[in-house]
Amino acid sequence: MSTTIKAYGTQAADANLEKMTIDRRAPGKRDVHIEILYCGVCHSDIHTARNEWLNSTYPVVPGHEIIGRVLEAGSRVRRFKTGDLVGVGCMVDSCGDCHSCKRDLEQFCEKGCTWTYNSPEPHFGRTYGGYSTHIVVDQDFVLKIPENIDVRGAAPLLCAGITTWSPLKHWKIGRKDRVGVVGLGGLGHMGIKFANALGAHVVMITRSPEKASDAEALGAHEVLISTDAKAMQAQANSFDFILNTIPVGHEMDPYIGLLKIDATMVLVGAVEPLKPFHGGGVMMGRKRIAGSLIGGIAETQEMLDFCGKHNIVCDVEMIGMPEINEAYERVVASDVKYRFVIDMQSLKE
């Protein structure tokens, strides 16, 4: 059995998103049926809608930064009840048995996790995301949202938030660390907030001097202009950790030069080829370049609890569902501070 609901999606890579209907499976014993209140807009939504990663199967209904209320909980669901404020992020299932899943690293499931949209789905064919009125998700992939934070700003925590939180926690960033955050956008602004809240000395690294005041308002202690050769040289070999959020291929050598001996730069933005960099830059100092991908469910819940304790949310601009195509163009043009969030009531009207 299934239920037909309203959604917004696209039928082709070169087509706009538009109204459509999709089917959701009937909730099972382990499922949570959620009415979607808000859904964030991630650049991954655009890549998938436009088949820029060459793996899209149409129709595509994007959205993996989902906030909603529980309408119904299956008979075997113990952690959630009707009315609870919950979230759904980038994943809705995984094998549960592989080495990664047993370490709470479902995002690295060795059999391939089930993404919230554009993914084969064992129960119902393919997954459709949060640009819709309702979603049905296994209880193990549903998250508790703190009631004290702005739920609109909480939506992008499910992707932008955990993408930046996970590497900061994995590399144990704390009060003694000097942390650089490269790029002030949807990811970068959360990197600043989290690194600051963890007690680090935070330096925003950007090409744009006009972003300095915004970076400082978000919690950066300093701003380093990456196109200023003298300023970059003055801070060479001074960073314990760099969170690189640049979303496109770019020169790596200038940032490698900022790292201390044995320090790490983690890539979270560029899911594409990088420009060649000089091997000597990492050899001279035993420096490391690493990558990180969202986070597991337990780690995401840890992040949300931290956000509740410290009242941390994303800076967002609210839109209605009919504005999504314009919003996509603005995301591509970096014309948003710093994430769009869709009020899903606009889809129900």
Side-chain angles (χ1 to χ4, degrees):
M1 295 181 63
S2 63
T3 302
T4 300
I5 64 167
K6 295 179 180 179
Y8 238 74
T10 181
Q11 299 283 358
D14 57 355
N16 280 338
L17 276 71
E18 60 185 7
K19 290 181 180 179
M20 61 175 59
T21 59
I22 59 172
D23 290 337
R24 294 290 192 199
R25 72 175 187 266
K29 295 179 180 180
R30 292 178 45 83
D31 285 334
V32 180
H33 182 197
I34 302 164
E35 179 184 15
I36 300 175
L37 303 176
Y38 302 101
C39 186
V41 178
C42 177
H43 208 135
S44 299
D45 299 350
I46 302 172
H47 290 311
T48 306
R50 298 178 176 179
N51 198 23
E52 291 172 349
W53 289 335
L54 304 179
N55 65 350
S56 302
T57 299
Y58 295 94
V60 167
V61 176
H64 59 202
E65 299 176 345
I66 300 167
I67 300 290
R69 293 275 181 190
V70 176
L71 287 178
E72 178 185 0
S75 59
R76 295 184 183 177
V77 175
R78 296 291 177 262
R79 296 178 56 239
F80 305 100
K81 65 182 185 304
T82 300
D84 282 353
L85 184 65
V86 296
V88 179
C90 300
M91 304 172 286
V92 292
D93 208 350
S94 71
C95 79
D97 296 321
C98 70
H99 181 65
S100 294
C101 287
K102 289 181 177 179
R103 295 173 60 205
D104 294 324
L105 296 171
E106 299 92 348
Q107 75 273 33
F108 301 129
C109 177
E110 292 156 28
K111 297 180 182 178
C113 68
T114 301
W115 303 112
T116 304
Y117 59 83
N118 193 49
S119 192
E121 208 261 6
H123 303 290
F124 210 64
R126 292 196 69 79
T127 56
Y128 296 119
Y131 295 7
S132 55
T133 57
H134 301 79
I135 194 168
V136 177
V137 182
D138 184 282
Q139 63 176 337
D140 290 344
F141 290 82
V142 179
L143 297 142
K144 294 182 178 179
I145 304 298
E147 292 275 0
N148 65 296
I149 61 177
D150 182 345
V151 292
R152 299 168 300 177
L157 294 175
L158 280 305
C159 181
I162 187 58
T163 294
T164 50
W165 171 265
S166 183
L168 291 169
K169 289 296 290 185
H170 180 76
W171 273 272
K172 298 179 173 58
I173 298 306
R175 295 191 178 277
K176 295 182 180 181
D177 294 312
R178 182 178 177 82
V179 172
V181 178
V182 184
L184 184 58
L187 297 179
H189 93 287
M190 289 308 303
I192 292 173
K193 290 187 179 189
F194 282 142
N196 180 295
L198 289 167
H201 182 89
V202 186
V203 181
M204 179 71 233
I205 305 171
T206 177
R207 297 173 56 89
S208 306
E210 64 273 13
K211 293 184 178 180
S213 59
D214 285 351
E216 290 167 353
L218 290 164
H221 300 97
E222 297 179 47
V223 176
L224 174 59
I225 306 304
S226 59
T227 53
D228 185 335
K230 288 185 178 180
M232 291 287 282
Q233 181 57 41
Q235 298 211 34
N237 307 306
S238 69
F239 286 84
D240 299 287
F241 182 87
I242 293 176
L243 183 69
N244 186 334
T245 74
I246 298 173
V248 296
H250 57 279
E251 298 284 353
M252 297 279 285
D253 290 311
Y255 308 112
I256 293 170
L258 297 173
L259 294 170
K260 289 181 178 178
I261 292 174
D262 286 328
T264 302
M265 176 165 58
V266 176
L267 306 175
V268 295
V271 189
E272 57 183 270
L274 298 167
K275 294 182 180 180
F277 58 89
H278 198 292
V282 290
M283 295 166 65
M284 298 299 292
R286 203 162 56 191
K287 302 173 183 181
R288 295 180 292 264
I289 298 172
S292 183
L293 176 70
I294 54 171
I297 297 300
E299 188 174 47
T300 305
Q301 188 63 61
E302 174 192 57
M303 173 210 63
L304 290 167
D305 294 343
F306 183 89
C307 289
K309 181 178 179 181
H310 294 272
N311 196 25
I312 294 174
V313 294
C314 295
D315 288 17
V316 303
E317 179 176 336
M318 298 300 301
I319 61 170
M321 194 74 257
E323 300 170 75
I324 189 62
N325 293 299
E326 177 186 354
Y328 273 20
E329 296 305 323
R330 288 182 57 194
V331 170
V332 172
S334 300
D335 179 27
V336 57
K337 291 183 178 180
Y338 286 95
R339 298 287 271 215
F340 286 114
V341 171
I342 308 162
D343 184 343
M344 299 311 300
Q345 181 62 35
S346 63
L347 182 56
K348 302 167 189 175
E349 294 171 348

